[in-house]
């Protein structure tokens, strides 16, 4: 006997969500603009595949990119640059990867990897700009080492950024922002631009392109914190 699950049944919704994620995972791996790097993958091989897909242009990374809407919009505005949106979950990257293929935006690639693998994949002094957009704040003190502005990650960024390279950081979380500023100063990063309310500032419009979460935060009246740093 088949028992029909009610539309609002949590178990049924869970099954549907899992099927959607599996579908996105499968499609991500089949898209020509998508790449996966796991700890067992050869880093040089991953880099070569990225170089084969992208033309020879200055490189911009977005770290913990989520659905990569921000990088996608930047890529459309700046065809003279290459953008690589990085996240650990390919089902998040899937949406913008599909859009990029549909719209013929060829100066963006999507990379699934752990953030602590960046220093292995990208050569020293090879990246023009790193965007760190709305990372998980990991509010508990014991989880501070997982924050993407922790010293262990800052060392990776410093290594792969060019001498005049920039780190650009925005977040709605004021506590994370203040903590991060302390880390930047302690590690001798120079703060070039700073705002505690990005969308009310005179900073460039590119900075104000909204991520999925940023749209929600600004609608709720939450100010966005922003800074530009160089090494």
């Amino acid at each position: 006997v088949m028992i029909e699950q009610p539309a609002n049944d949590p178990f049924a919704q869970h099954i549907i969500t899992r099927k959607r994620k599996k579908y996105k995972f499968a499609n991500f791996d089949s898209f020509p603009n998508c790449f996966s790097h796991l700890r067992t993958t050869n880093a040089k091989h991953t880099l070569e595949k990225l170089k084969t897909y992208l033309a020879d242009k200055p490189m911009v990374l977005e770290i913990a990119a989520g659905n990569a809407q921000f990088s996608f919009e930047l890529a459309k505005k700046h065809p003279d640059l290459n953008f690589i949106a990085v996240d650990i979950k390919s089902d998040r990257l899937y949406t913008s990867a599909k859009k990029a293929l549909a719209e013929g935006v060829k100066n963006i690639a999507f990379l699934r990897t752990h953030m602590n693998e960046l220093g292995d994949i990208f050569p020293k002094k090879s990246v023009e700009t790193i965007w760190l957009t709305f990372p998980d704040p990991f509010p508990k003190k014991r989880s501070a080492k997982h924050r993407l502005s922790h010293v262990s990650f800052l060392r990776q960024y410093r290594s792969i950024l060019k001498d005049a390279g920039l780190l650009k950081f925005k977040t709605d979380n004021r506590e994370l922002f203040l903590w991060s500023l302390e880390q930047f100063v302690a590690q001798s990063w120079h703060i070039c631009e700073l705002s505690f309310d990005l969308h009310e500032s005179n900073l460039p419009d590119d900075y104000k392109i909204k991520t999925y979460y940023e749209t929600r935060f600004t609608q709720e009246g939450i100010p966005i914190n922003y800074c530009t740093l160089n090494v």
Side-chain angles (χ1 to χ4, degrees), residues 12 22 54 62-63 132 141 166 183 186 204-205 227:
K22 286 182 178 180
L54 295 168
E62 184 187 4
I63 309 300
L132 182 55
K141 286 186 177 180
L166 299 174
Q183 312 314 304
D205 289 341
C227 64

Side-chain angles (χ1 to χ4, degrees), residues 49-92:
K49 288 196 294 183
L50 284 165
K51 285 183 174 179
T52 299
Y53 179 76
L54 295 168
D56 186 15
K57 300 175 184 178
M59 190 187 311
V60 179
L61 303 185
E62 184 187 4
I63 309 300
N67 69 5
Q69 177 180 323
F70 180 72
S71 283
F72 178 59
E73 294 301 327
L74 281 176
K76 290 194 293 184
K77 290 186 68 175
H78 299 282
D80 56 319
L81 301 173
N82 282 332
F83 293 83
I84 301 177
V86 185
D87 203 279
I88 186 55
K89 294 193 175 181
S90 57
D91 61 312
R92 294 174 180 170

Side-chain angles (χ1 to χ4, degrees), residues 114-128:
H114 290 275
M115 300 306 112
N116 55 15
E117 298 284 308
L118 296 175
D120 294 327
I121 299 170
F122 298 100
K124 292 182 178 180
K125 301 186 185 301
S126 63
V127 176
E128 295 280 343

Side-chain angles (χ1 to χ4, degrees), residues 137-178:
F138 290 102
K140 294 181 180 179
K141 286 186 177 180
R142 65 174 181 268
S143 299
K145 64 181 180 181
H146 298 297
R147 297 170 189 163
L148 293 180
S149 50
H150 185 269
V151 60
S152 61
F153 292 104
L154 292 180
R155 287 170 181 159
Q156 285 194 78
Y157 308 154
R158 186 187 293 271
S159 173
I160 65 177
L161 278 171
K162 293 183 177 181
D163 289 336
L166 299 174
L167 174 62
K168 301 185 178 186
F169 173 45
K170 59 179 178 175
T171 177
D172 64 300
N173 191 297
R174 181 62 57 86
E175 288 186 11
L176 172 65
F177 190 66
L178 295 175

Side-chain angles (χ1 to χ4, degrees), residues 40 130 135 165 173 219:
T40 56
I130 295 175
N173 191 297
Q219 287 174 347

Side-chain angles (χ1 to χ4, degrees), residues 17-31 34-36 87-95 112:
T17 300
R18 286 187 61 187
K19 285 183 177 179
R20 284 176 180 164
K21 284 187 176 182
K22 286 182 178 180
Y23 173 80
K24 290 179 179 180
F25 287 144
N27 276 281
F28 181 88
D29 290 333
S30 70
F31 287 165
C34 294
F35 305 86
S36 293
D87 203 279
I88 186 55
K89 294 193 175 181
S90 57
D91 61 312
R92 294 174 180 170
L93 297 170
Y94 166 88
T95 301
R112 177 172 70 99

